[in-house]
Amino acid sequence: LAKTTQPISMDSYEGQEVNITCSHNNIATNDYITWYQQFPSQGPRFIIQGYKTKVTNEVASLFIPADRKSSTLSLPRVSLSDTAVYYCLFPSGYALNFGKGTSLLVTP
Amino acid sequence: GAGVSQSPRYKVAKRGQDVALRCDPISGHVSLFWYQQALGQGPEFLTYFQNEAQLDKSGLPSDRFFAERPEGSVSTLKIQRTQQEDSAVYLCASSPRGLAGAVEQFFGPGTRLTVL
């Protein structure tokens, strides 16, 4: 079963760019890398998904190197409302394996 | 449009009681998932339905856990003879297509179950 490794927690100030890196050494050839965000007392919410190189949407960017053994979620100019847990994951069969995620705290 | 809804939002049960948790997925979504999230942990997969067929129940922790989706829409997760270790948030998610993984999953707010 493929595993992901990401920092347990990160702190940032408002307005800064935040980069969260995830390691996934044994990702399968056809696996997509997906990031979810979860606020307290809410279900996770899809942020971004990619296979290789760079993907950007209105919320974040996802950088995936050629070997695909890691990925970096980039949040530009974070605000207090970006305080949440961020999960890097990819599917295992039908399931999403969330792991413990990275708890991001944004302060003024 | 309406998202995934779950009821009740909170449930307190005495040890040994049976509970039933309901999930209303987004209309027309083929896939439905149940996850269990313990305090401070990420969600863990319990089971997966494609329409009314339960294709994967490998994550159900014991035979006290049972899920159904008889008409391919609403789903119920039932836990019999609840134990304290069943205390967790139970999350339901749906997605529009039958292939999981590469398809975004839409989560409900969860049901927080506390077993006393």
Side-chain angles (χ1 to χ4, degrees), chain A residues 30 32 34 36 38-47 49 85 87 89-101, chain B residues 9-10 33 35 37 40-45 48 50 55-56 91 98 100-110 112:
Chain A
N30 56 352
Y32 280 79
T34 310
Y36 276 74
Q38 187 176 26
F39 298 112
S41 300
Q42 295 187 23
R45 182 175 73 109
F46 173 90
I47 301 176
Q49 183 178 74
V85 179
Y87 297 96
L89 53 93
F90 48 91
S92 174
Y94 297 108
L96 295 176
N97 292 308
F98 279 86
K100 293 188 177 181
Chain B
R9 289 294 315 275
Y10 303 90
F33 308 80
Y35 292 82
Q37 185 170 23
Q41 305 295 315
E44 293 193 357
F45 170 79
Y48 165 66
Q50 182 172 311
L55 299 186
D56 188 345
L91 294 161
V103 177
E104 177 182 352
Q105 295 187 17
F106 297 83
F107 282 80
R112 180 178 296 278

Side-chain angles (χ1 to χ4, degrees), chain A residues 45-64:
Chain A
R45 182 175 73 109
F46 173 90
I47 301 176
I48 197 166
Q49 183 178 74
Y51 184 78
K52 61 181 179 181
T53 64
K54 177 182 175 183
V55 179
T56 298
N57 62 22
E58 65 278 5
V59 176
S61 294
L62 179 60
F63 300 90
I64 305 169

